[in-house]
Amino acid sequence: MFTLFSLFLVLEARIQQLQSDFVLDVQFINVPSSGRGVSSGRTPSRGSPQQKSDNAKSGQSATQGASKHQPIRWMEKLSQEEKSKLKRQQRLQQKLQKKLKKRSQETLTINPIGSSLIPPGTTMSSASRESRSDKKLSSGLSAAVPSPFVEIAAAAGKAAAVSKQASRLNQRDSKTKVFEKGDSEKRSIDSRGREEGLAEVKELKKRLNQRVRPRSFSGTPEMQEQGNAKRPCEDIQSSIRCYLEACVFVGEIERSHNFLLSQHRTVNQRKHLNTDVYNIVMRMWAKEGSLHHVGSIFILLEEAGLKPNRGSYAAALECMGRSPNCSPKVITRCLTQMEVDGISVDELFSQCGFRQDERDMLLKAINTVYPGYKPSLNLHTDLYCLFHVNIFGWLTSSCVSFQRGLLAEQRAQWQKILLQALRESKMILAETNTKNYRPNLYPYLCLLEDREYVDIMIQSVSNMPPSGELLKVLARDLGNRVYAKYCVQQKYRNETVEKLGTIYDAYTGLLAKDTEVKLTIEVEQSSGPSLQGGETSWSHILTLQLGTYMMDLMVKNLKINSDILNPEHNRTLIPILYHMYTFRSIKQVGFIKPHPILTQMQQEAVENKLTFDSYVMPMLCPPVPWTSFKFGAYLLTPTKLMRSTDGATQHDLLLEKCQDLHAVFDSLNQLGNCAWKISKPVLDTIISIFNDRGSEKLDIPPPLSEAPKIPHFNPQDPTYTSSEKALMKKEAINARKKYGEMHSLRTDALYKLSIAHHMRDEIFWFPHNMDFRGRTYPCPPYFNHLGSDVTRAMLVFAEGKPLGPKGLDWLKIHLVNLTGLKKRSSLQGRLDYANTIMEDILDSADNPLNGKKWWMEADEPWQALACCKEIANAVRSPDPSQFISHFPVHQDGSCNGLQHYAALGRDTIGATSVNLVPCEVPQDVYSGVAQQVEELRAKDAKKGLKIAQVLEGFINRKVVKQTVMTVVYGVTRFGGRLQIQKRLKETDEFPQEHVWEASHYLVRLVFNGLKEMFTGTREIQDWLTESARLISKSGHTVEWVTPLGLPIIQPYHRKRRQLLKSTIQNIYLEITHDTTEMPDTVKQKNAFPPNFIHSLDSTHMMLTSLHCYSAGLTFVSVHDCFWTHALTVDTMNKVCREQFVALHSQPILQMLSKFLLHKYCGICGSLKSLKFAFPNLRP
């Protein structure tokens, strides 16, 4: 019994192994080729002796291998039976080959005219390779498949041959319809034989599916096909497209054409090609006016079993428009075939991207046939440069001038060295892989001028921190900078810049008018290039490959004299960059560290300029409005609508399918159209403290001269004991860590203040995009209103509005809010308090650094100072109500996550604690939780619990705030304990030996208190978590759609390691967004509740922004904190409340339940049990 079971497992495993080969490759049978000038002499019509011996040997080896493991007599009998069936199979195959050869000679004696369009050697090579692979396949398949499946394989081979022959005939017929006249009499075929063959194929496929049924790992078969095949194919397609586009851009026509042919000829590579890949080369030949080559690409398309799309026909018609001798009949046949494929002429103009004069040439070809035709379409409608920002307040001495000159001289030498090394490496790459046409980095190193690559590398050296940086991070930055410049060069090459300038001028003219205008521009353009060229975005892997190559050039070639700073040393050339390995947690990673000599030179030079890429700076003109998920924000620099992990594409695929995102686009455009300027008095005060050794209390980082000295000692010194050595080593590690942190903070502050100083006399804008949950962010990373207290204090609205009758009161209330005082007081109580401290307010405004310094004690000191100055200017004006104020007043949400949960669960008690219910005084949920925890602690202390007694007097709002705020976003008890532990460590009076026990005790009280206060919150969280768990267990990621129609998907999959080989080092990438991997169940279920609440929060913000815009308000948000002028605070508050009520008046949970049931119930039946898991879910 055991032996039979073992044999069954062996046979079952073998069947599964053959499934992929059988399904994909069994159609290639050893049949003589015919047509297209391919001789059948290379493929014998009968089984040669060599072939027979190979088949017999393979059959013997398979039998011997089986008998070797199970030396049983009936096993030998089975092998003999297989041999006899193998011989019968060979005889049948020979008869089939003979019959097909005879039929092919009778019916296919003349080649189609269209085959002359194929470049010499194309089809012959691919056909001969297929014949050779078919011979191996047929012999191996016959010998290896167990006896019950041999007959099926033989019959499937016969049917595949007939099917292949019929499909080739159909391909020739369709090609000759479009490009050449064919002789109908010469293409006569026995239709009856073809129909019989196709019927036989259909029958065999049915039998085959009944006998050999592939297993699905989970979910539906459609999911398996998409998960296992679609994503890898998309990644490879993206790489191929990028390579071909780079080759075309640099003029490597033959390289790109030959590369496409090499991919097409290889069966395993051809499956990675789609129509858009062929279109890239087709557009290239269309630009050259070579109809011959365009026709050959059409033939390759049909050989690959692909249908031409809009881009294919647009390229063909463009080529016909460029060909002066092209017959109108050829154009007519092309248009006729296009209509057969369901493509209209208007679709070519409305849905294809054009470059240079491609649109005009297409229209010229169509006008040849239809002279009066005009396309009816509506096209939706910062140049890349480097900003050199002067650093403020630096004094130049003779020593500094010498160091700057020395550094400039070295950089000039490095530029020459890198330029020579780059050119030599390009010469080597140009001659690499020229025979087999394998892709390399050569085209990507020719996209820009050589000096531009060198400038990018030199800039990377200048920006490198003294402690070094991860190789992966540096390589990514290098690759992204090259890609950004390449995109700009593409738009110049495609003649997009001039057209974009014309449309943008019209758009800004509309914005300048004080009227309501549509933020979605539709400009009719009947000529010229498209604003969206349709170029392929570079993958994360490609940018890393290019970046590591450039980094390798830098490490190998950049050197400096060792005696440049100390003439007493011996002169030797030493590298300025070192490649080394270090550990991050338990992982060994590549690291690039600058030599101490380079670090010293850069620090002593005290350079007075910083260089930034344009796309990290605020815009000096209004952003381009978002009109699609591919176009918006910057004029030329590519920007993603939805931020995602490097390499993740599932978000873009969802957005591409979504038809109506106008509300989301308009909200982002409204946020980006808010103009800003710098508050010069506040900026000057911050700069003075920054230059005067900073202030940790005011969040101004001190210079590195204030960093602790790193102790140095000799570990081999016998005078130190082992404990002393361990202590000194620990002190050295802490000192280095502190030095690195201070350098990072100081540099970050330097960037922000330098950009603000550069913009001090300008009006500027922040373009916006969003993350995958819909939360909005400004695109410039260093300086924006989402920054720290220091950054926010420097920013004011460029547009001023009078304070009006209540504006001054709102400024005073806002100031009290910034101090962190009077949290439990009413608005009137806060206003009364502000009036009692007017003397301190005015003193802070007049003498911020030498007066009473009241503003320094506020929670947000710099914003408090800015507000003091605004109040002082207003009260000293002749009429405060007419004072023009640019200051933004904030209205912050009261624990916004709990507000949404309370509204979803209709929880009255919870809603009261987060100010969703009218109260005499504002409720503070953090203080309420702290009070509840204190009551529980007091009870435990009376019972004699020691840790409760130790905590007496230490429980306050600050200790529990972070945990309460993040518990609705999925924080666990472990994470909450760490948060409370950090707060207790910051309290100097608390005994540190009790920190761990106290944090463990407090987190339990906080969670229990929240559970009592918000009864519905935990139920909703549990329902969301369990739904996500079941969905991910079924093999799917969690998706949903926001009330504004924004599709959201959680990109959490199991980790997959991918090896990136490079000359400097191999890099292992951890891919967590690969859709071929199973979803990460833990992340999916833990992230669903907070992500869902974030999506509701962003929806409420977008609704508020759109209605504020309609009401004529200036509106800006920092997630759940809304900003506007003091004049319009009351109006914004009214709109905010109305939109919150409107949002939660919808049956959000019911709609979510229906969506999940509709999408996942078919593949996860257990979800049905969750329909009524939450009491408010009603059918």
Side-chain angles (χ1 to χ4, degrees):
M1 188 66 184
F2 176 78
T3 306
L4 289 175
F5 182 72
S6 300
L7 178 63
F8 174 75
L9 293 179
V10 171
L11 292 177
E12 186 182 23
R14 184 56 178 156
I15 291 169
Q16 292 178 12
Q17 179 182 354
L18 288 171
Q19 283 171 8
S20 57
D21 296 337
F22 184 74
V23 174
L24 296 177
D25 298 330
V26 76
Q27 57 182 338
F28 302 108
I29 196 72
N30 194 6
V31 180
S33 302
S34 59
R36 299 185 186 167
V38 181
S39 173
S40 61
R42 298 186 60 181
T43 305
S45 60
R46 296 181 181 271
S48 62
Q50 180 65 34
Q51 181 182 355
K52 292 180 180 179
S53 63
D54 291 342
N55 291 341
K57 288 178 181 179
S58 63
Q60 292 170 4
S61 63
T63 306
Q64 291 170 2
S67 62
K68 190 173 182 179
H69 293 285
Q70 297 290 343
I72 302 174
R73 187 173 59 185
W74 66 266
M75 195 78 171
E76 296 174 0
K77 184 177 180 180
L78 179 61
S79 94
Q80 291 176 1
E81 183 181 348
E82 286 186 352
K83 288 181 181 180
S84 62
K85 288 187 178 291
L86 174 62
K87 291 179 181 179
R88 290 200 303 269
Q89 166 64 17
Q90 289 175 351
R91 286 196 296 269
L92 288 173
Q93 188 175 2
Q94 291 169 6
K95 290 180 181 180
L96 175 64
Q97 291 174 351
K98 185 176 180 180
K99 183 177 180 181
L100 289 177
K101 181 179 180 182
K102 184 178 180 181
R103 181 180 295 182
S104 63
Q105 290 174 353
E106 291 175 356
T107 59
L108 298 176
T109 56
I110 298 178
N111 296 334
I113 298 176
S115 63
S116 62
L117 296 178
I118 303 177
T122 302
T123 309
M124 181 175 293
S125 175
S126 60
S128 62
R129 290 190 184 189
E130 291 173 4
S131 299
R132 291 194 295 269
S133 64
D134 296 343
K135 182 187 297 183
K136 296 178 181 179
L137 177 62
S138 62
S139 62
L141 186 65
S142 301
V145 179
S147 56
F149 299 94
V150 173
E151 296 175 358
I152 298 177
K158 177 181 177 181
V162 178
S163 175
K164 186 175 181 180
Q165 177 187 357
S167 63
R168 287 183 174 177
L169 295 175
N170 287 331
Q171 291 170 5
R172 291 188 179 90
D173 291 343
S174 59
K175 296 185 198 75
T176 53
K177 285 181 182 178
V178 180
F179 292 101
E180 299 291 344
K181 293 181 178 180
D183 189 348
S184 60
E185 295 180 358
K186 295 179 180 180
R187 296 197 307 266
S188 61
I189 299 173
D190 188 356
S191 59
R192 182 179 302 174
R194 184 167 58 184
E195 290 176 0
E196 292 176 356
L198 294 176
E200 190 176 359
V201 169
K202 187 175 181 181
E203 179 63 24
L204 286 171
K205 285 184 177 179
K206 184 178 179 181
R207 290 173 56 191
L208 185 64
N209 289 333
Q210 293 173 354
R211 294 289 189 93
V212 184
R213 190 177 303 276
R215 293 187 177 181
S216 175
F217 68 95
S218 64
T220 61
E222 291 79 2
M223 178 198 168
Q224 181 188 12
E225 179 183 354
Q226 294 176 359
N228 290 340
K230 187 174 181 180
R231 178 52 191 265
C233 190
E234 287 176 354
D235 292 341
I236 298 175
Q237 283 175 7
S238 176
S239 300
I240 293 174
R241 289 183 62 177
C242 290
Y243 182 78
L244 287 173
E245 288 176 356
C247 290
V248 172
F249 184 83
V250 301
E252 291 283 342
I253 296 178
E254 293 298 328
R255 180 187 290 266
S256 60
H257 187 82
N258 291 332
F259 173 71
L260 178 63
L261 292 182
S262 68
Q263 299 293 308
H264 177 83
R265 290 168 181 164
T266 308
V267 177
N268 290 333
Q269 295 296 327
R270 187 189 298 179
K271 64 184 179 183
H272 297 142
L273 305 181
N274 62 4
T275 304
D276 292 333
V277 174
Y278 290 91
N279 288 350
I280 294 173
V281 179
M282 197 183 300
R283 289 179 77 170
M284 175 189 70
W285 288 120
K287 190 78 65 180
E288 300 294 324
S290 177
L291 191 59
H292 167 80
H293 286 93
V294 171
S296 71
I297 302 299
F298 266 85
I299 294 176
L300 295 180
L301 267 176
E302 298 192 22
E303 281 185 357
L306 300 172
K307 288 185 61 176
N309 59 13
R310 299 182 186 91
S312 310
Y313 286 112
L317 290 169
E318 177 204 342
C319 186
M320 295 173 187
R322 296 185 189 275
S323 304
N325 300 324
C326 182
S327 171
K329 294 182 179 179
V330 176
I331 301 176
T332 302
R333 284 196 298 273
C334 182
L335 293 175
T336 302
Q337 183 63 36
M338 188 175 70
E339 291 179 2
V340 171
D341 291 340
I343 300 174
S344 67
V345 176
D346 283 343
E347 289 179 7
L348 299 184
F349 290 93
S350 62
Q351 300 187 28
C352 292
F354 299 99
R355 305 165 187 166
Q356 299 178 356
D357 60 345
E358 291 176 351
R359 188 201 306 267
D360 300 333
M361 293 297 102
L362 172 61
L363 186 60
K364 178 182 176 182
I366 296 176
N367 284 335
T368 303
V369 180
Y370 306 111
Y373 173 79
K374 290 184 179 180
S376 58
L377 71 156
N378 288 319
L379 285 180
H380 296 294
T381 65
D382 169 67
L383 306 182
Y384 183 94
C385 62
L386 293 177
F387 277 89
H388 298 285
V389 179
N390 290 323
I391 302 177
F392 47 85
W394 292 117
L395 299 178
T396 304
S397 63
S398 58
C399 179
V400 170
S401 299
F402 172 76
Q403 291 293 345
R404 288 179 183 174
L406 188 62
L407 190 58
E409 180 183 351
Q410 289 297 318
R411 285 176 179 165
Q413 294 180 6
W414 294 336
Q415 284 180 336
K416 293 179 181 178
I417 294 171
L418 282 177
L419 197 61
Q420 181 65 24
L422 178 62
R423 289 171 178 170
E424 291 176 357
S425 65
K426 286 172 61 177
M427 291 176 62
I428 296 173
L429 287 175
E431 303 299 326
T432 305
N433 299 332
T434 55
K435 293 184 179 180
N436 55 8
Y437 305 110
R438 293 181 60 188
N440 58 21
L441 290 176
Y442 175 73
Y444 302 105
L445 293 172
C446 299
L447 299 173
L448 311 176
E449 297 291 335
D450 292 344
R451 190 166 294 278
E452 291 184 271
Y453 289 99
V454 173
D455 290 342
I456 291 174
M457 289 187 276
I458 294 297
Q459 183 183 352
S460 178
V461 174
S462 302
N463 295 339
M464 190 174 299
S467 57
E469 187 57 273
L470 293 176
L471 171 63
K472 188 164 59 175
V473 174
L474 294 173
R476 180 194 61 198
D477 292 342
L478 288 171
N480 286 336
R481 287 179 178 175
V482 173
Y483 174 65
K485 283 200 170 188
Y486 164 56
C487 290
V488 175
Q489 293 296 330
Q490 276 185 315
K491 294 185 178 181
Y492 274 105
R493 176 82 63 87
N494 298 337
E495 300 177 359
T496 305
V497 177
E498 183 177 353
K499 180 177 179 179
L500 181 60
T502 303
I503 297 175
Y504 182 76
D505 288 342
Y507 169 69
T508 53
L510 290 174
L511 285 181
K513 297 179 181 179
D514 190 18
T515 57
E516 182 177 351
V517 297
K518 286 187 177 181
L519 294 182
T520 303
I521 298 183
E522 295 180 354
V523 181
E524 292 189 0
Q525 292 289 331
S526 59
S527 62
S530 304
L531 298 185
Q532 304 178 46
E535 292 82 6
T536 307
S537 300
W538 284 7
S539 65
H540 180 52
I541 301 296
L542 176 55
T543 56
L544 284 180
Q545 286 177 329
L546 182 58
T548 52
Y549 187 87
M550 297 170 67
M551 184 56 64
D552 185 49
L553 287 178
M554 297 162 62
V555 172
K556 289 180 178 177
N557 295 280
L558 293 183
K559 301 181 185 299
I560 197 172
N561 290 325
S562 58
D563 63 343
I564 190 170
L565 296 180
N566 191 349
E568 297 180 359
H569 292 169
N570 296 328
R571 170 169 292 191
T572 56
L573 281 176
I574 57 175
I576 65 170
L577 300 176
Y578 287 91
H579 174 236
M580 53 188 295
Y581 292 91
T582 186
F583 283 90
R584 288 292 185 267
S585 181
I586 60 174
K587 299 176 183 177
Q588 188 178 24
V589 294
F591 203 77
I592 302 295
K593 186 174 178 64
H595 195 279
I597 292 179
L598 174 64
T599 302
Q600 183 179 349
M601 289 177 62
Q602 290 178 337
Q603 290 178 350
E604 292 179 355
V606 193
E607 294 181 281
N608 58 355
K609 283 189 177 180
L610 293 173
T611 302
F612 295 95
D613 296 303
S614 61
Y615 53 84
V616 303
M617 296 286 288
M619 294 184 67
L620 296 176
C621 56
V624 175
W626 286 104
T627 54
S628 75
F629 76 98
K630 293 182 179 179
F631 186 73
Y634 295 103
L635 285 164
L636 294 182
T637 305
T639 308
K640 276 189 168 186
L641 172 70
M642 186 171 283
R643 302 181 179 192
S644 59
T645 308
D646 291 330
T649 60
Q650 51 264 56
H651 308 292
D652 291 340
L653 295 176
L654 281 179
L655 292 173
E656 190 173 7
K657 296 176 183 177
C658 191
Q659 299 297 324
D660 187 9
L661 290 174
H662 298 305
V664 176
F665 292 155
D666 289 347
S667 177
L668 290 172
N669 296 334
Q670 186 273 327
L671 295 173
N673 282 332
C674 178
W676 300 85
K677 68 177 184 178
I678 298 296
S679 175
K680 298 179 185 178
V682 176
L683 172 63
D684 292 338
T685 305
I686 295 173
I687 289 178
S688 64
I689 295 180
F690 182 86
N691 289 334
D692 187 23
R693 297 186 177 183
S695 171
E696 291 188 359
K697 178 182 178 181
L698 298 176
D699 200 23
I700 305 296
L704 294 181
S705 58
E706 303 297 315
K709 300 300 180 182
I710 300 176
H712 298 280
F713 68 97
N714 184 9
Q716 308 300 329
D717 191 343
T719 59
Y720 295 112
T721 64
S722 58
S723 58
E724 291 175 338
K725 291 179 182 179
L727 179 61
M728 287 187 289
K729 183 178 180 180
K730 185 177 180 180
E731 292 176 352
I733 292 174
N734 292 336
R736 290 191 184 94
K737 182 180 179 181
K738 182 66 175 178
Y739 182 89
E741 291 174 351
M742 290 182 64
H743 177 269
S744 178
L745 293 172
R746 183 76 175 181
T747 303
D748 180 68
L750 178 64
Y751 281 10
K752 288 179 170 62
L753 295 178
S754 298
I755 294 173
H757 183 70
H758 179 75
M759 296 287 182
R760 64 182 298 139
D761 297 318
E762 304 286 351
I763 294 176
F764 49 89
W765 289 260
F766 297 126
H768 279 63
N769 61 0
M770 59 186 175
D771 64 11
F772 74 92
R773 302 164 300 184
R775 303 197 94 186
T776 59
Y777 298 87
C779 295
Y782 299 123
F783 183 74
N784 57 63
H785 61 285
L786 259 70
S788 63
D789 171 53
V790 177
T791 307
R792 295 184 186 186
M794 294 184 286
L795 290 170
V796 294
F797 294 135
E799 179 187 7
K801 291 185 178 181
L803 287 178
K806 294 184 178 180
L808 182 59
D809 291 344
W810 275 116
L811 285 176
K812 295 177 181 179
I813 294 172
H814 177 57
L815 175 61
V816 176
N817 292 340
L818 292 171
T819 63
L821 305 173
K822 307 299 179 181
K823 288 285 186 179
R824 304 299 293 267
S825 300
S826 64
L827 295 181
Q828 185 61 44
R830 300 179 195 188
L831 178 60
D832 295 339
Y833 173 74
N835 290 327
T836 61
I837 58 171
M838 281 299 298
E839 182 179 351
D840 293 331
I841 295 174
L842 297 177
D843 177 76
S844 298
D846 297 336
N847 302 294
L849 301 181
N850 300 316
K852 299 178 181 178
K853 303 179 183 180
W854 169 85
W855 62 278
M856 293 186 182
E857 304 302 322
D859 286 352
E860 309 286 349
W862 289 108
Q863 293 179 77
L865 175 61
C867 192
C868 289
K869 291 181 177 293
E870 190 77 1
I871 293 173
N873 293 332
V875 298
R876 290 166 178 170
S877 64
D879 184 1
S881 64
Q882 298 301 316
F883 175 76
I884 303 300
S885 174
H886 299 262
F887 192 83
V889 176
H890 310 170
Q891 295 291 283
D892 200 356
S894 302
C895 197
N896 198 245
L898 285 174
Q899 286 182 332
H900 285 289
Y901 270 122
L904 288 173
R906 304 299 191 259
D907 183 357
T908 305
I909 299 176
T912 303
S913 63
V914 289
N915 296 307
L916 292 183
V917 177
C919 300
E920 293 183 2
V921 295
Q923 301 297 306
D924 181 24
V925 64
Y926 309 117
S927 300
V929 173
Q931 182 179 351
Q932 190 176 24
V933 170
E934 172 60 23
E935 292 175 359
L936 295 175
R937 184 211 61 81
K939 293 180 181 179
D940 292 339
K942 291 181 179 179
K943 296 178 183 179
L945 186 62
K946 181 179 179 181
I947 191 62
Q949 297 171 351
V950 172
L951 281 167
E952 184 177 0
F954 293 102
I955 297 177
N956 53 41
R957 181 180 187 272
K958 183 178 180 181
V959 171
V960 302
K961 178 181 178 180
Q962 187 179 11
T963 305
V964 174
M965 182 170 52
T966 57
V967 72
V968 297
Y969 297 127
V971 70
T972 62
R973 288 180 181 262
F974 176 78
R977 188 190 66 77
L978 294 178
Q979 294 169 347
I980 295 176
Q981 177 178 299
K982 184 177 180 180
R983 299 286 86 82
L984 292 176
K985 285 184 177 180
E986 294 173 352
T987 306
D988 298 333
E989 297 81 8
F990 187 79
Q992 298 300 307
E993 64 272 14
H994 296 289
V995 166
W996 189 93
E997 186 180 2
S999 61
H1000 185 77
Y1001 170 74
L1002 285 180
V1003 74
R1004 178 171 56 84
L1005 297 184
V1006 170
F1007 271 70
N1008 291 338
L1010 284 173
K1011 191 173 183 179
E1012 293 180 7
M1013 291 179 65
F1014 298 88
T1015 56
T1017 298
R1018 180 55 63 182
E1019 294 179 7
I1020 298 175
Q1021 281 185 321
D1022 293 343
W1023 179 76
L1024 294 173
T1025 301
E1026 182 64 12
S1027 299
R1029 187 188 69 83
L1030 293 174
I1031 292 170
S1032 57
K1033 280 290 185 181
S1034 71
H1036 289 72
T1037 52
V1038 180
E1039 296 181 33
W1040 70 96
V1041 180
T1042 69
L1044 281 181
L1046 180 67
I1048 297 175
I1049 182 172
Q1050 295 191 149
Y1052 311 125
H1053 292 263
R1054 292 179 183 174
K1055 289 183 180 180
R1056 173 179 64 83
R1057 298 189 75 193
Q1058 181 170 345
L1059 175 63
L1060 173 62
K1061 295 183 178 180
S1062 64
T1063 53
I1064 188 170
Q1065 110 176 35
N1066 292 340
I1067 300 176
Y1068 281 96
L1069 304 176
E1070 286 192 349
I1071 310 297
T1072 59
H1073 54 266
D1074 188 353
T1075 55
T1076 63
E1077 298 291 330
M1078 288 289 291
D1080 188 327
T1081 303
V1082 175
K1083 285 188 176 181
Q1084 289 284 343
K1085 71 182 185 66
N1086 288 340
F1088 186 29
N1091 286 341
F1092 180 71
I1093 295 300
H1094 279 310
S1095 69
L1096 289 181
D1097 191 22
S1098 68
T1099 299
H1100 174 236
M1101 185 279 298
M1102 290 181 179
L1103 288 170
T1104 304
S1105 71
L1106 293 174
H1107 284 79
C1108 285
Y1109 173 77
S1110 299
L1113 274 66
T1114 299
F1115 176 87
V1116 174
S1117 77
V1118 181
H1119 303 316
D1120 62 340
C1121 181
F1122 299 163
W1123 300 12
T1124 190
H1125 288 92
L1127 173 68
T1128 55
V1129 172
D1130 290 310
T1131 305
M1132 185 187 71
N1133 284 339
K1134 181 174 180 291
V1135 172
C1136 174
R1137 287 169 169 79
E1138 289 175 348
Q1139 295 311 308
F1140 189 90
V1141 172
L1143 174 64
H1144 285 282
S1145 297
Q1146 302 297 318
I1148 294 176
L1149 290 178
Q1150 289 91 326
M1151 291 189 295
L1152 175 64
S1153 174
K1154 291 180 180 179
F1155 178 84
L1156 297 180
L1157 288 170
H1158 175 73
K1159 186 173 184 63
Y1160 301 109
C1161 188
I1163 50 89
C1164 183
S1166 55
L1167 271 177
K1168 294 180 180 179
S1169 62
L1170 291 174
K1171 186 172 183 180
F1172 302 104
F1174 184 69
N1176 282 312
L1177 287 178
R1178 295 289 183 263

